Amino acid sequence: MGSLKTMSGGLLLGLCLTLLIWGAEGQRNGRGKKEISGSGPINLGQQQRGTWWPLMQTRENLTEVKSIKSMFQFRTFDPEGVVFYGDTRDGEDWFVLVLRNGIPEMQIGKADILVSVQGGPKLNDGKWHLVEISSQGDFVVLEVDGQKGLVVGLKSKETIEVLTGQIRLALGGILVSLDKLLIPFQPEMDGCIREGNWLNLSTPWETELIGEPWPCYQNIQPGSYFSGAGLAAFNTTDLPGHQTEDSGITIDIHGDSTKMEGTVLSLKTPGQELPMVTVKVNNNPKKVTLTIFKRESITKQSFSRLYLTLLKNQVNMDIDDTHLTFKIDSIPDIPSSWKEGMILAFGGLPGDGVSYSSIQYLKGCLEKIQVQGQAVDLDRALYKDLSVSSHSCPSEV
């Protein structure tokens, strides 16, 4: 009976998240390609979540290529994702530049050779870095801020000298199948590129973006930015907290609530009409509202840190130095439900519908999100709206 209940909950949870994702996928139908400059600011963070298809790409006949170097300025706080890709012979020979743990990594496939090399300085410090990639004979060289970061040598008896055909370049994704990669990685990259010079070509790039491209803000800070148009949702079985039923589940959020408006988080059981726990922030008037089912508790203050502890029949909320305890016998055992599978959403209420008003979405920056003391990466959410930036927020400084 227990396994049936777990399976049922999992199916319901999957259905809820599928409906969320279906809504986002449906918006992509019928998108037409448009041209965009490869030299202007490019925000890689607006790519579709979970897809490997590039944000933008271009191609040119090899006979038109007069330079062996591409260079651009790059800025990010994101530790992992695709930056730049290129290939010839329709993907038979290819390379991709990614970040892993903030460090540049190049994977290259050529003839019978497949290599992956990581090295150089960490680039996810939120500063602009000049990145140069060049082909020098049998070597591919990566330079960062004028210093050599990686040098990869390639030589094969099966190598074919390519003089005809086309070269393809792409940003924020790859054009080869995933099984060609030596080491898989998380594709999404919340970062910006500017002043790109791609093999000294003037060919326009193609993109399938809807609407206007996102800006690259002058100043950014670490955090997850919610624009007021969407949320990120997790299955709690993918989060920490399965061995701590007695001590409860902790959710720790940092940020300036005076610059937030809307739903910070919500927790819902699959098939349940109302969220079990919801936290909202308002600044006109100033208040933080904790809702447990229909029971509301309003605290008229702002915060820089919000700390929730979810126990059996009890929820504790710490707002900076203020400690609040709520005991409700009718609350289900949250740690047990968490283990079976719930929907934890940041930035809104899971399960969009007719009665779900967009004013409930969060607008603001969550500087840090932790569950059970471990950082939560929104790039690994089961659903993340395109409007949510996982690793950076616009900053006034």
Side-chain angles (χ1 to χ4, degrees):
M1 186 67 178
S3 60
L4 180 61
K5 180 180 178 182
T6 301
M7 183 181 296
S8 173
L11 289 172
L12 283 169
L13 178 60
L15 177 60
C16 291
L17 289 165
T18 298
L19 289 173
L20 277 169
I21 296 170
W22 178 86
E25 293 285 343
Q27 297 174 6
R28 296 187 296 182
N29 293 339
R31 286 192 303 179
K33 294 181 179 180
K34 58 183 179 181
E35 292 185 347
I36 188 172
S37 170
S39 60
I42 300 162
N43 192 324
L44 301 178
Q46 59 200 312
Q47 178 57 296
Q48 294 281 4
R49 190 216 157 268
T51 179
W52 293 82
W53 192 250
L55 172 68
M56 51 193 288
Q57 59 180 297
T58 188
R59 64 176 66 208
E60 185 58 270
N61 293 328
L62 284 167
T63 54
E64 300 297 319
V65 176
K66 307 302 181 184
S67 172
I68 57 172
K69 178 185 291 187
S70 290
M71 62 178 64
F72 53 93
Q73 292 187 27
F74 177 63
R75 181 189 69 182
T76 188
F77 282 114
D78 197 338
E80 185 170 340
V82 183
V83 181
F84 180 42
Y85 168 91
D87 72 27
T88 57
R89 298 201 297 148
D90 291 324
E92 290 299 314
D93 297 336
W94 58 271
F95 86 94
V96 61
L97 171 66
V98 306
L99 289 193
R100 193 188 303 273
N101 296 320
I103 300 173
E105 175 179 298
M106 285 198 294
Q107 294 193 36
I108 303 174
K110 188 173 184 179
D112 60 335
I113 302 174
L114 187 60
V115 299
S116 177
V117 181
Q118 186 183 57
K122 278 201 169 189
L123 299 184
N124 64 328
D125 57 2
K127 299 177 181 179
W128 286 106
H129 295 278
L130 177 62
V131 179
E132 301 182 31
I133 301 176
S134 61
S135 176
Q136 301 178 15
D138 293 329
F139 297 90
V140 178
V141 180
L142 171 71
E143 295 186 13
V144 177
D145 298 326
Q147 303 294 320
K148 286 185 178 179
L150 285 175
V151 179
V152 183
L154 293 171
K155 193 170 183 65
S156 170
K157 295 181 180 179
E158 297 183 18
T159 299
I160 300 174
E161 191 67 29
V162 180
L163 299 175
T164 60
Q166 291 188 322
I167 185 170
R168 302 187 299 180
L169 305 177
L171 298 176
I174 63 177
L175 295 170
V176 291
S177 60
L178 302 185
D179 57 11
K180 287 193 174 184
L181 296 174
L182 182 60
I183 307 174
F185 48 82
Q186 192 77 16
E188 297 92 341
M189 170 51 67
D190 179 3
C192 273
I193 286 175
R194 69 182 184 186
E195 299 181 14
N197 185 320
W198 314 101
L199 303 178
N200 209 25
L201 298 172
S202 58
T203 310
W205 293 62
E206 288 187 341
T207 182
E208 297 179 347
L209 286 175
I210 298 175
E212 294 299 316
W214 287 6
C216 288
Y217 295 101
Q218 182 175 355
N219 300 304
I220 59 173
Q221 66 181 61
S224 299
Y225 182 65
F226 296 80
S227 67
L231 55 79
F234 289 83
N235 184 335
T236 58
T237 59
D238 296 328
L239 295 169
H242 308 305
Q243 308 297 327
T244 56
E245 295 186 14
D246 293 333
S247 57
I249 308 296
T250 61
I251 302 174
D252 189 7
I253 292 177
H254 294 234
D256 183 354
S257 70
T258 64
K259 298 178 182 178
M260 300 179 196
E261 192 77 25
T263 304
V264 176
L265 67 85
S266 56
L267 183 64
K268 183 178 180 181
T269 300
Q272 191 178 60
E273 183 178 354
L274 295 174
M276 188 181 298
V277 177
T278 305
V279 177
K280 295 181 181 179
V281 171
N282 300 97
N283 280 292
N284 189 21
K286 183 189 301 181
K287 62 180 180 179
V288 178
T289 304
L290 170 65
T291 304
I292 302 174
F293 287 122
K294 293 184 178 181
R295 178 177 171 179
E296 288 189 350
S297 176
I298 298 175
T299 304
K300 296 182 179 180
Q301 68 178 85
S302 58
F303 66 82
S304 58
R305 183 183 184 186
L306 173 71
Y307 192 88
L308 285 180
T309 304
L310 309 176
L311 300 159
K312 182 178 181 180
N313 307 125
Q314 181 176 319
V315 175
N316 297 335
M317 181 170 70
D318 293 274
I319 302 176
D320 292 337
D321 296 329
T322 302
H323 177 76
L324 303 168
T325 297
F326 304 92
K327 293 184 178 181
I328 304 177
D329 292 336
S330 60
I331 298 180
D333 184 347
I334 296 179
S336 294
S337 299
W338 181 285
K339 185 177 180 180
E340 293 175 4
M342 304 177 73
I343 303 172
L344 175 63
F346 297 99
L349 302 174
D352 201 348
V354 176
S355 61
Y356 182 26
S357 173
S358 62
I359 63 172
Q360 294 175 303
Y361 288 124
L362 176 67
K363 184 171 184 179
C365 178
L366 301 184
E367 297 172 10
K368 182 188 295 184
I369 305 173
Q370 292 185 329
V371 173
Q372 296 297 91
Q374 298 184 29
V376 174
D377 184 351
L378 297 190
D379 280 341
R380 301 186 183 277
L382 286 181
Y383 168 76
K384 180 170 74 72
D385 189 82
L386 298 179
S387 65
V388 178
S389 296
S390 297
H391 297 278
S392 66
C393 300
S395 173
E396 297 176 356
V397 181

